Amino acid sequence: MNTDNIVANEVVQRDTSTTINWVSITLFIVFTFGISWAIWLGLRAIGVPFTIRTAIGMFGPALAALIVRVVRREGFADAGLRLVGRGHRGGWRMYLAAYIAMPLLIAAAIGFALLVGTQHWAFSENLHVLATGITKTLASQGQSLPSGLSAEQLALISIISQTALAFTLAILINMIFTFGEEFGWRGYLLPKLAPLGGIRAAIIVGIFWGL
């Protein structure tokens, strides 16, 4: 079962008696888009690199949720800030599932794209491009390839290390920035839409998140 749906259904079970506050929802969405796009466009205008302004803009939903919660005096009881504890459905297994599910989904998506022919396996081409880039970078710095290693071998080492980093330390680093999204979309909008039902709420959140 999809972990997002499990979370959504848990929220529904807690808040089925709650009416939908469309005013707060509208304010949250307006603030989210306004803050995030103001950050992205503003930082772009002054020449801030794409990756940096994107990461900063990811805090837009969190800031929007914080503003609406304070202005509307809604509190933070349903903000999803509770860690695993007594009575928490799923416990540590939910965290493990969230950690494992995404790499499996990515692998499945890649496999499906290759199977239906929408993409082709370009590993050798990409490896060659990376190796060429490494050679040029070393040459521009007045250095040569390490003894006993070819450019392709260095490129392969780079790919393996980056992949390992992506599923270990990079997750901890990315958690800082993705919290800006989760605290807004999952911690605010999802509980507000919970009376519609878990599936409907998750779909609506996904649509706005995608936009």
Side-chain angles (χ1 to χ4, degrees):
M1 184 175 182
N2 186 284
T3 54
D4 287 352
N5 292 337
I6 292 176
V7 175
N9 287 327
E10 286 182 342
V11 174
V12 172
Q13 292 175 6
R14 294 198 302 268
D15 300 331
T16 50
S17 61
T18 304
T19 58
I20 299 179
N21 190 331
W22 292 111
V23 174
S24 294
I25 290 174
T26 302
L27 287 175
F28 167 75
I29 293 174
V30 170
F31 279 129
T32 293
F33 282 89
I35 293 172
S36 295
W37 282 94
I39 291 174
W40 289 330
L41 295 177
L43 294 180
R44 178 184 180 183
I46 61 177
V48 175
F50 174 79
T51 53
I52 296 178
R53 65 174 185 263
T54 299
I56 297 175
M58 289 171 66
F59 286 100
L63 292 175
L66 180 63
I67 293 173
V68 177
R69 286 185 182 277
V70 172
V71 172
R72 303 279 294 175
R73 299 181 180 179
E74 296 176 352
F76 294 86
D78 62 345
L81 297 175
R82 182 182 61 175
L83 297 177
V84 173
R86 293 182 60 184
H88 188 278
R89 183 178 177 182
W92 61 269
R93 291 185 295 274
M94 294 298 296
Y95 288 90
L96 180 61
Y99 179 85
I100 296 176
M102 191 53 63
L104 293 179
L105 289 174
I106 293 174
I110 293 174
F112 179 76
L114 295 174
L115 182 64
V116 298
T118 58
Q119 293 185 3
H120 69 282
W121 184 250
F123 182 79
S124 59
E125 294 95 324
N126 291 330
L127 184 66
H128 177 72
V129 171
L130 182 58
T132 301
I134 291 175
T135 302
K136 290 182 178 180
T137 300
L138 291 175
S140 65
Q141 298 174 352
Q143 303 178 18
S144 58
L145 292 172
S147 178
L149 289 176
S150 66
E152 285 73 16
Q153 289 174 324
L154 285 178
L156 183 59
I157 293 174
S158 175
I159 292 174
I160 294 174
S161 61
Q162 289 182 41
T163 302
L165 180 63
F167 292 108
T168 52
L169 295 179
I171 292 178
L172 300 177
I173 298 173
N174 290 335
M175 282 173 59
I176 299 173
F177 300 99
T178 55
F179 174 79
E181 293 189 321
E182 293 293 340
F183 185 71
W185 299 118
R186 198 90 66 212
Y188 187 82
L189 186 57
L190 184 62
K192 293 299 180 184
L193 294 173
L196 294 176
I199 300 298
R200 291 181 180 177
I203 291 175
I204 294 174
V205 170
I207 291 173
F208 279 106
W209 199 335
L211 292 173

